[in-house]
Amino acid sequence: MSEKNRDGKRTARQRLAMEREKQKSAEKRRRALIVGASVVCVLGLAAVVGVIAANAGKDDGGDTAGPVVAPSGAQGEDSLVIPAGRAGAGPTLTIWEDFRCPACKNFEQRYRSTIHELTEAGQLKVEYRLATIIDGGMGGSGSRRAANAAACAQDAGKFTPYHDVLYDSQPPETDDAFGRNDRLIELAGKVEGLDTPAFRRCVEDGTHDSWVEKSNETFRTSDHTGTPTVLLDGRNIYRDGSLTPAKLKQMVQDANKG
């Protein structure tokens, strides 16, 4: 083989080797770009989650303003508790809830009859505390307006039946139907004696809006992580998922024996 042919083959091999190196380098850059883009997506998602978390529980405030007007018979610190049951009943069940919250509705549907049975028997006192976290997470004002309407029902001595009607009529979480006063007044028609001029005026004026906001702020600055939060004499009994209506009844009966 001539020297010229050997040089030609050597040059061809070198060109091939150089091309392979270029391809490897290009592949490395491509992989780096993919990894980099993935990191940006993860960071972007984290940022979105962070924004949602930061706003969770914050009512949008709407057009509320004015003095804090507690509903009739409200108790506890800053009068933020709506009581149910006999004052001298044994243990106290505290329920933090949001009328737009699907999990709260599930709790109500499962435990309502047991709670009513125990309160009517004088074995249990219930403290209802209201929050507006769905308004903060999903937008709208349904949590706040429904809570105000429930406080108006408390003024009329009809809190418990209206409370139950609200949960029975709860719209989908993304539907802010409770943000309409006419809907809340319409539902009052399902509670005997509640749909009065005084109730309508209380709902339409947002008489207890500032009280609801104060209640929500108390929830937001607590160590509770969501609704419903259910406490029996201050102990969280719902968080681990092991509670049942029968177990709740037994716990209350045991507390009364003690």
Side-chain angles (χ1 to χ4, degrees):
M1 181 181 295
S2 68
E3 187 66 28
K4 185 176 180 180
N5 286 340
R6 281 198 297 268
D7 290 342
K9 289 185 177 182
R10 188 161 49 243
T11 301
R13 285 196 298 269
Q14 289 173 345
R15 283 198 304 268
L16 182 59
M18 290 174 63
E19 185 62 31
R20 286 174 178 171
E21 286 299 321
K22 287 181 181 180
Q23 290 177 355
K24 288 181 181 179
S25 296
E27 180 65 17
K28 286 181 181 179
R29 286 196 299 271
R30 189 181 69 84
R31 289 177 180 176
L33 286 172
I34 291 173
V35 171
S38 299
V39 171
V40 170
C41 288
V42 171
L43 292 175
L45 177 59
V48 171
V49 171
V51 170
I52 293 173
N55 284 284
K58 295 182 182 179
D59 187 356
D60 62 10
D63 54 2
T64 60
V68 175
V69 180
S72 176
Q75 299 177 355
E77 186 176 357
D78 295 325
S79 297
L80 296 177
V81 170
I82 295 180
R86 299 177 191 174
T92 298
L93 189 72
T94 301
I95 305 174
W96 279 101
E97 59 184 5
D98 180 332
F99 288 110
R100 283 182 73 185
C101 165
C104 295
K105 179 178 180 177
N106 292 338
F107 174 81
E108 279 295 318
Q109 289 179 328
R110 189 175 185 197
Y111 292 89
R112 177 187 295 168
S113 60
T114 300
I115 292 172
H116 286 348
E117 176 188 345
L118 293 169
T119 55
E120 289 166 6
Q123 297 182 26
L124 180 69
K125 179 182 178 181
V126 182
E127 294 184 343
Y128 290 100
R129 305 191 63 139
L130 307 181
T132 62
I133 61 173
I134 304 300
D135 285 358
M138 302 296 296
S141 60
S143 297
R144 172 167 51 84
R145 293 191 184 279
N148 171 69
C152 295
Q154 170 67 12
D155 289 338
K158 305 282 186 179
F159 174 82
T160 298
Y162 187 63
H163 164 279
D164 293 351
V165 165
L166 286 175
Y167 278 116
D168 290 342
S169 308
Q170 186 188 78
E173 187 178 13
T174 55
D175 181 352
D176 194 32
F178 282 173
R180 301 196 333 264
N181 288 334
D182 61 342
R183 175 58 176 160
L184 297 170
I185 291 171
E186 177 188 358
L187 292 174
K190 297 186 176 184
V191 178
E192 184 178 358
L194 179 57
D195 187 5
T196 64
F199 174 80
R200 288 177 173 237
R201 186 164 55 251
C202 181
V203 171
E204 291 168 350
D205 291 349
T207 299
H208 301 297
D209 278 351
S210 293
W211 175 84
V212 172
E213 290 176 8
K214 187 168 186 177
S215 179
N216 183 64
E217 182 64 18
T218 299
F219 175 81
R220 205 170 62 82
T221 56
S222 72
D223 60 357
H224 304 315
T225 57
T227 54
T229 291
V230 184
L231 314 171
L232 185 63
D233 283 341
R235 183 167 66 91
N236 196 319
I237 60 173
Y238 193 64
R239 180 169 48 197
D240 66 3
S242 65
L243 187 68
T244 64
K247 186 174 181 180
L248 173 61
K249 187 174 183 178
Q250 188 62 55
M251 292 169 73
V252 171
Q253 291 174 341
D254 290 346
N256 278 291
K257 290 176 183 177

